[in-house]
Amino acid sequence: MMARGFDHALIRAQFPILEPGVHGRHLHYLDNGATAQMPKAVLDAIVRHETRHRANVKRSVHFLAEAATEAYDDARESMKAYVNAASEEEIVFTSGCTGAINLVAYSFGSLLEAGDEVVISALEHHSNIVPWHMLAKRAGVVVKAIPVTPEGRLDLDALPKVIGPRCRLVAVTHVSNVTGAETDVAAIVAAAKAVGARVLLDGAQRAPHGPIDVKALGVDFYAFSSHKMFGPNGVGVLWGKSELLARMPPFLGGGEMIARVTLEETTFAEPPRRFEAGTPPIAQAVGMAAAARWISGIDQEAAHAHLQSLTGRMLEGLEGMGGGRVRVVGPLGLQNRYPVVSFIVEGGHPHDICQLLDEEGVALRGGHHCAQPLMNAFGVTGTTRASLALYNDADDVDALITGLGRALKKLHL
Amino acid sequence: MSDLYQSDLLRLAASADGAGRLEPPRASVTLDNPLCGDRVTMDVRLEGGRITALAHETKACVVCQAAAAVIGRHAEGLDKDGLAAARAAAEAVLKGGEPPAGAWAELALFKPVAKVKSRHACLRLPFRSLEAALAADQG
């Protein structure tokens, strides 16, 4: 049942890792865009599974195997609910978001012909660039990219030029892992559908912020990972429309993805099993499902308001710091953006900023964020990024701003 | 705050010794640190296998800039073996040891880096770039 309102202290208390602090200081964990921490509900679900139901799935008939199979099936049911899929068969457990996109690039990609086009964007994480480059090399598919605006959003004016009649798939991020900008999915879907192309959304940065409605989005594939949405590492989900998954050949072979194997040939199981070769990440899927249920139990409107307020506080604090040396990279407003804030310090390197802030207990990420084309578009080699989660509060934001001020002094900036 | 960001290291980085480009270089190599995007372009001129001139363009953190400056100060005149010895001195510092006396004694400034594994690559990058430039010249 969803709780009404948002009690930040109650949320924070559910995250044991935040309690002890670091370097003898309170931990201000602002690296949630890389990995979010796990609440006790998720940790307990994993421990309960591993101590009571651990066995392989879909193979044996003993008590533990039945319990493990049921837990794995329940996890799929939870993820179906989280993305509002039409059926559990549309939920494929993968190794993560990268694994999910690679699955589509390999399997859907094998249905494409030389000269067909896949459109990505300059805003993408490498995980939504490299698999398409590999496909281009393998199959002669042409990769095109939607440029970005100076504000770090997709340049929608360029869509007619980039999405042409040979386009078969548009694969773009739902929320940028660098700028926090939310993609105008309706515009992308309209442009893609106009030429009969499919749409894949990389939802890694969107999935932590509440349930997703893939039907309302109108897309064909949706990929996301568990560890950014308060779940364990090593698991993610690919949601795909059933009619598409049914047409796609397997990605990896072995395990329960088969219908029948002889020495001469193999026939394959129906989706989603066709795409889950080998022993799946069972406990991880159980943990991911627990995370999805935990997020779903929070008052989404109140949580959104909390994070919007913190994002505004951070943007206000950062912009113009250091006599104008600090500059936010990405949207300065709160419209259509998520709580991921990147900034550059003129004359300062992100690694130095992050190292000095770490000593203040502030955990940030510095570097190119696996988005080198975007860094090139901005003319920088890297940025410093602060990304918020539900357990963050104003104290975390203030620690960043105060610590950054001290770091600038230390670096004589 | 951190002993990593001691004044001497900051001054060394700010000195930017050896910064610039050679026109034309005998060999030029650009290497990145994929973790953080540090980038070093190392230009060299050589005679008889010895470095007669070098210049570096370093877009990087303080540790990497300082390492590039040390190289800018001391690498001229080195051959492949001399550079290997300098690199070994840097590696010794990263393992918590002391650099040898002499030109490379200045590497002692990097001792606090030993404790921060994610920054080891920052110190190594200018050395790797110079090694690659020498290797490129030798075909």
Side-chain angles (χ1 to χ4, degrees), chain A residues 327-358:
Chain A
R327 185 167 59 81
V328 171
V329 172
L332 289 175
L334 295 174
Q335 289 297 311
N336 303 319
R337 70 123 62 229
Y338 279 78
V340 177
V341 178
S342 280
F343 59 94
I344 55 172
V345 178
E346 193 190 319
H349 190 277
H351 253 188
D352 296 320
I353 304 293
C354 291
Q355 192 89 58
L356 288 165
L357 268 290
D358 172 63

Side-chain angles (χ1 to χ4, degrees), chain A residues 38 77 97 132 156 165 270 311 335-336 339 348 367 396:
Chain A
M38 290 195 281
E77 170 71 30
C97 189
W132 306 111
L156 299 178
E270 296 297 312
T311 306
Q335 289 297 311
N336 303 319
D396 295 325

Side-chain angles (χ1 to χ4, degrees), chain A residues 32-296:
Chain A
N32 298 287
T35 285
Q37 301 301 341
M38 290 195 281
K40 199 159 179 311
V42 172
L43 294 164
D44 288 349
I46 296 168
V47 170
R48 195 181 315 118
H49 178 82
E50 293 288 42
T51 53
R52 296 183 192 173
H53 301 143
R54 180 181 165 85
N56 214 325
V57 293
K58 313 273 184 193
R59 294 174 195 205
S60 307
V61 294
H62 56 78
F63 175 85
L64 287 180
E66 290 287 355
T69 298
E70 193 177 331
Y72 189 59
D73 289 346
D74 286 350
R76 203 185 302 277
E77 170 71 30
S78 291
M79 298 319 298
K80 174 210 156 201
Y82 196 69
V83 301
N84 194 28
S87 76
E88 292 87 351
E89 281 69 38
E90 294 186 332
I91 301 295
V92 180
F93 282 116
T94 64
S95 59
C97 189
T98 302
I101 295 171
N102 273 273
L103 191 164
V104 178
Y106 182 89
S107 182
F108 179 81
S110 72
L111 306 175
L112 304 185
E113 295 173 0
D116 283 347
E117 293 169 4
V118 171
V119 170
I120 57 173
S121 87
L123 208 53
E124 301 310 307
H125 189 284
H126 295 166
S127 293
N128 198 28
I129 299 175
V130 180
W132 306 111
H133 284 171
M134 291 163 70
L135 173 65
K137 202 161 192 180
R138 200 164 60 234
V141 166
V142 177
V143 178
K144 292 184 164 181
I146 304 164
V148 289
T149 66
E151 204 190 21
R153 293 186 183 278
L154 294 189
D155 182 357
L156 299 178
D157 291 341
L159 293 185
K161 277 184 282 181
V162 182
I163 301 177
R166 289 300 301 268
C167 178
R168 299 290 176 261
L169 180 76
V170 180
V172 293
T173 186
H174 194 176
V175 172
S176 165
N177 72 313
V178 176
T179 68
E182 180 184 21
T183 295
D184 183 343
V185 178
I188 295 291
V189 168
K193 298 303 173 193
V195 297
R198 303 291 184 172
V199 176
L200 177 149
L201 283 187
D202 170 354
Q205 296 294 332
R206 166 60 184 81
H209 299 290
I212 297 142
D213 188 339
V214 291
K215 289 178 195 155
L217 288 170
V219 298
D220 301 283
F221 298 105
Y222 199 94
F224 57 110
S225 56
S226 158
H227 70 103
K228 295 188 200 298
M229 54 176 282
F230 311 106
N233 294 326
V235 68
V237 160
L238 171 68
W239 167 82
K241 278 186 177 161
S242 54
E243 69 266 27
L244 274 175
L245 293 178
R247 285 171 44 206
M248 288 161 50
F251 175 34
L252 301 172
E256 298 301 307
M257 48 75 75
I258 55 96
R260 177 176 291 180
V261 178
T262 66
L263 287 178
E264 288 74 33
E265 66 167 357
T266 301
T267 56
F268 303 111
E270 296 297 312
R273 278 174 51 208
R274 183 187 301 168
F275 302 108
E276 295 182 357
T279 296
I282 305 162
Q284 291 91 329
V286 167
M288 183 179 195
R293 291 192 297 272
W294 183 82
I295 296 170
S296 302

Side-chain angles (χ1 to χ4, degrees), chain B residues 3-41:
Chain B
D3 51 356
L4 185 65
Y5 293 93
Q6 56 195 291
S7 300
D8 287 346
L9 190 82
L10 293 172
R11 265 196 293 274
L12 177 57
S15 76
D17 280 351
R21 301 298 305 267
L22 293 181
E23 295 295 346
R26 170 82 176 261
S28 180
V29 167
T30 299
L31 289 186
D32 291 348
N33 176 356
L35 180 69
C36 63
D38 283 351
R39 176 167 292 173
V40 174
T41 298

Side-chain angles (χ1 to χ4, degrees), chain B residues 74 99-107:
Chain B
H74 303 296
W104 299 98
E106 210 166 16
L107 286 169

Side-chain angles (χ1 to χ4, degrees), chain A residues 349 352 355 359-360 368 410, chain B residues 1-2 5 34 38 62 119:
Chain A
H349 190 277
D352 296 320
Q355 192 89 58
E359 293 178 13
E360 304 237 351
H368 54 57
K410 180 78 185 175
Chain B
M1 270 206 190
S2 171
Y5 293 93
D38 283 351
V62 164
R119 307 300 295 275

Side-chain angles (χ1 to χ4, degrees), chain B residues 46-115:
Chain B
L46 301 120
E47 269 181 38
R50 280 189 191 281
I51 298 167
T52 56
L54 73 83
H56 62 84
E57 190 173 74
T58 303
K59 293 177 180 168
C61 66
V62 164
V63 174
C64 189
Q65 287 181 50
V70 171
I71 283 177
R73 284 180 187 182
H74 303 296
E76 217 170 283
L78 292 182
D79 60 7
K80 194 178 160 196
D81 291 342
L83 178 58
R87 170 71 184 268
E91 293 297 330
V93 169
L94 289 178
K95 289 194 173 93
E98 295 286 340
W104 299 98
E106 210 166 16
L107 286 169
L109 287 174
F110 294 88
K111 281 168 72 176
V113 182
K115 288 183 289 188

